[in-house]
């Protein structure tokens, strides 16, 4: 019988938690959640406030493109990327004495409710600086978005003609020729505005009255959740210890 298999004795069942122990675990959980929430909220009071400014930009879709929803969505996404690109942000950063990477961290752009409106937001510790940067970025974006291609060429030609019209010394023949040329260019631009996509500022830059960060409510909730996680881990450890034979 010496070769018969030996089996380890079954472990005795664990003890059950008493009513007092359960009460302690519940109290511990509530206390840790409260402490976490208070610490999270307190941290939000110490962190520097960040303010924001916003502007709304409308990306006007040409009539011939409005039926192609995939193309419209693609065009809008492209404009969001362009709005936050170095082509737009670099000149603004240079003009305001900022590093372009630092400026990029302040900037966000989103499409509002599946519309053709893009909301640009810039965060800064100074509310007036946020408005200034938002306005400058919107203007630079319009310059980049609307000045390229044939439209940009026509606009530059029209500007040159208007400059010639304003210069003194034009005789009657020159004045008539320039007027005809200006009217032709303006007509071509108007037609292009109908057949090509074009961006425009719908709402000028304005400040958001309340700080956008830190979010005190979110910080408190986050602290409370962290406290709950710690409480659960502690409760598991204590439960194993108290129910061990």
């Amino acid at each position: 019988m010496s070769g018969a298999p030996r089996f380890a004795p079954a472990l005795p069942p664990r003890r059950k938690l008493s009513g007092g122990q359960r009460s302690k675990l519940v109290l511990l959980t509530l206390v840790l959640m409260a402490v976490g929430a208070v610490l999270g909220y307190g941290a939000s009071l110490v962190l520097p406030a960040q303010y924001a400014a916003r502007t709304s930009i409308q990306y006007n879709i040409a009539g011939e493109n409005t039926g192609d929803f995939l193309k419209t969505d693609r065009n809008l996404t492209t404009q969001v990327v362009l709005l936050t690109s170095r082509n737009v942000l670099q000149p603004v950063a240079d003009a305001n004495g900022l590093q372009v990477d630092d400026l990029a961290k302040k900037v966000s752009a989103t499409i509002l409710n599946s519309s053709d409106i893009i909301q640009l937001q810039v965060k800064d510790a100074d509310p007036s600086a946020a408005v200034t940067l938002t306005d400058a970025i919107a203007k630079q974006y319009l310059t980049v978005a609307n000045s390229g291609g044939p439209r940009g060429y026509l606009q530059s030609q029209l500007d040159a003609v208007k400059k010639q019209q304003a210069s003194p010394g034009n005789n009657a023949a020159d004045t008539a020729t320039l007027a005809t040329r200006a009217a032709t260019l303006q007509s071509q631009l108007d037609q292009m505005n109908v057949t090509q996509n074009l961006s425009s500022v719908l709402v000028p830059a304005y400040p958001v009255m309340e700080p956008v960060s830190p979010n005190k409510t979110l910080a408190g909730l986050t602290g409370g959740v962290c406290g709950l996680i710690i409480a659960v881990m502690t409760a598991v450890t204590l439960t194993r210890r108290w129910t061990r034979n």
Side-chain angles (χ1 to χ4, degrees), residues 61-116:
I61 308 296
E64 62 184 21
N65 296 326
T66 54
D68 191 339
F69 296 106
L70 290 178
K71 185 175 181 180
T72 297
D73 183 67
R74 233 178 8 253
N75 286 339
L76 284 168
T77 303
T78 300
Q79 298 310 303
V80 170
V81 174
L82 176 61
L83 191 51
T84 56
S85 68
R86 283 181 175 265
N87 288 345
V88 172
L89 298 184
Q90 187 70 65
V92 177
D94 294 341
N96 290 273
L98 299 171
Q99 296 294 323
V100 66
D101 291 335
D102 293 335
L103 177 59
K105 295 175 183 177
K106 301 172 181 281
V107 178
S108 61
T110 53
I111 301 171
L112 296 182
N113 300 325
S114 301
S115 65
D116 59 355

Side-chain angles (χ1 to χ4, degrees), residues 109-195:
T110 53
I111 301 171
L112 296 182
N113 300 325
S114 301
S115 65
D116 59 355
I117 307 245
I118 302 172
Q119 184 180 79
L120 170 68
Q121 176 175 284
V122 180
K123 295 192 294 185
D124 195 272
D126 182 359
S128 61
V131 174
T132 299
L133 290 172
T134 302
D135 183 63
I137 292 172
K139 289 179 179 178
Q140 179 63 22
Y141 160 74
L142 293 182
T143 299
V144 174
N146 295 337
S147 63
R151 187 180 186 281
Y153 172 76
L154 290 175
Q155 185 63 59
S156 65
Q157 292 294 305
L158 179 59
D159 293 340
V161 170
K162 289 181 177 180
K163 186 176 181 180
Q164 288 180 311
Q165 286 179 310
S167 63
N170 293 328
N171 56 37
D174 291 337
T175 301
T177 300
L178 290 172
T180 302
R181 176 65 174 160
T184 301
L185 289 170
Q186 187 62 61
S187 176
Q188 291 175 336
L189 274 173
D190 292 341
Q191 179 63 28
M192 190 164 289
N193 290 342
V194 174
T195 58

